[in-house]
Amino acid sequence: MKKLIIIALLVTTNFACSDEFFDIKPQGRASQAQLTNKNGVAALLIGVYSELDGVGSGNTGRTSTVSNYVFGGIASDDAVKGTDAGDQPEQSFIEQYNWLSDNTYFLGKWWHSYDGVARANEVIQIVQSPDIKDMTDAEKTQVLAEARFLRAYYHFEAKKMWNKIPYIDDKVYVAADPNSTKIPNTEDVWPKIEADFDFAAKNLPAIQAQKGRATQWAAKAFLAKAYLFQKKWAPAKALLDDIVKNSGKTLVANYHDNYRTVTNNNSESIFEVQFSVNDGTNGNNGNAGDNLNWPYSASAPGRGCCGFYQPSHNLVNAFKTDANGLPMIGDAADGSLDSYNKVDLPNDQGISAGTAFTLDKSIPVDPRLDWTVGRRGVNFLDWGPMPGSTWIRDQVYAGPFTGKKWMYYLAEENSSTHSTSRRNVNNNFRIIKLSTVILWLAECEVELGNLSVAQDLVNRIRNRAKTGSVQDPTVTYKVEPYPAGMFASRGADFARNAVRMESRLEFAMEGHRFFDLVRWGIAEKVLNKYAQEEAVPGTEPSGRKFGKRIYMAGKTFTSKNNYYPLPQDEILNSQKDGKPVLVQNPGY
């Protein structure tokens, strides 16, 4: 029997073969024909959205997580790398302004941005195919609008990182030709980013049936953000006014409701990235890109790892208020006359967990501090008072504080955490909120000379902080709106500084600070002052002195650091006819 089978196979091989025998279809990959229909387009579009969390581009998620905690947080005065000196040294280089083009964090972020762009372009190309017969023109237009919104978003992420970037659109992109995307990064890409967001704003619905999809309000907000980065105040104001007046969005009563899993997609949210856990799909890892940023204790949220991304003393001090409940700021737009960092808020730096410690809670602070920062002796959500250095991996190196906005309540453990890792949670990341829009609008009003209007907008945010819930009733919380006429009487520089400080307090530890400092044109001055002050011992009102971040001594931020270096690998890979088409940023 075996002999007959072998003979039959030989006969088939010799006499029944054709070229089709060698035409093997790729395994695990959908064909163009399979995707050229409504279901295929929908699947591809979901793939573009799935990149928003920053995970899944063939890189390590922390290099491109949506929170931008490395590039927007630890590179600023909001936060330090945290953990200990030896862990993730490439983050240390970024924190200390020692930026080299072979740092894999820059490469990971580039991969993510342009992987998102490539996915968006595939959707745009396929949805416009005449072979799609089961979609109406209206359905195709909406998909096109969502894909162009996402393409603009990913380009925007690259633009604020590197400034000089290539804009890859569907006319340039050819999936089968890796050379098609090798185009120079010398063109100003803002007009193309604007065009994509504008198309989306004109063709997306005001409300989407599925949470997380882009709406016309999200597109208008991002278009306004693009204008802000270019200091186009009037067109930005028009869009932001429209959102405030007509979107139907409202500020939630309690500030912290913007940072809880049970209040995902609330009335204030304009665009947020959806995280899920334990939903039956493969790899549903919530905010996996931020899974290092948890207290270093088995009795804390995340249950044990890894101590990264800790708030700075400078940030904590910024939440102090004066006797009138106002920020301790001066009349200089760059913050150089601010007084909040001259004396440090009492803390347990240098005091072991086994040593008796009572936090001086008499100094007035903005209540948003304790929804943003974990500090010893203050309630940590429903986990009880934060116990101090037992939650910190290396307090001498990184300080006594831990981040809080992405943490979960003890009562929500398991329901909000991944079944195999409590450091992966389903607490969505809110990229743009109504509060964001209100403070952007205040910024526009200052630059357009409407100081009283700007003050009213800032006071909307401060009044919410005043009347909302507080984390710890034993702390002296005091926050008040600015008195009538204060912006006008103190002048534009004070008003400008007040809006910028309010943005810092409202969105601290959300990965925006560095990019804001750059677009305001004050990064060099602010960050050099920060490095100098954070490197020397701190002083409490009692006179107690304590060490801070001595490793920042001598670190200098220069104008080249306004933008990161393009990844060296990408410059090498851009070679065409023997020459790279990408040009490195100045100074690198």
Side-chain angles (χ1 to χ4, degrees), residues 493-505:
D493 277 345
F494 174 83
R496 194 173 286 117
N497 194 26
V499 172
R500 291 171 179 177
M501 173 59 84
E502 202 64 32
S503 295
R504 186 183 191 190
L505 301 177

Side-chain angles (χ1 to χ4, degrees), residues 195-313:
D196 274 349
F197 281 138
D198 184 61
F199 180 87
K202 291 174 178 175
N203 290 283
L204 286 175
I207 299 173
Q208 291 271 25
Q210 292 180 320
K211 304 295 185 184
R213 288 187 182 270
T215 65
Q216 67 169 264
W217 303 116
K220 287 180 178 181
F222 272 103
L223 179 55
K225 184 177 182 180
Y227 288 148
L228 286 177
F229 269 66
Q230 301 170 80
K231 297 180 169 52
K232 295 180 177 180
W233 308 115
K237 170 180 159 54
L239 289 166
L240 297 168
D241 267 329
D242 185 20
I243 297 169
V244 170
K245 294 174 182 177
N246 301 313
S247 69
K249 299 295 181 180
T250 59
L251 294 177
V252 294
N254 296 311
Y255 173 73
H256 186 55
D257 283 345
N258 284 317
Y259 310 101
R260 295 197 63 181
T261 59
V262 296
T263 49
N264 284 341
N265 302 302
N266 62 36
S267 65
E268 189 169 334
S269 175
I270 292 176
F271 191 66
E272 68 183 73
V273 177
Q274 309 294 303
F275 293 146
S276 68
V277 295
N278 309 321
D279 62 1
T281 58
N282 183 30
N284 53 104
N285 293 321
N287 62 334
D290 291 88
N291 66 359
L292 298 182
N293 306 335
W294 296 84
Y296 201 73
S297 170
S299 63
R303 298 294 175 112
C305 187
C306 296
F308 283 75
Y309 195 33
Q310 294 178 231
S312 68
H313 285 279

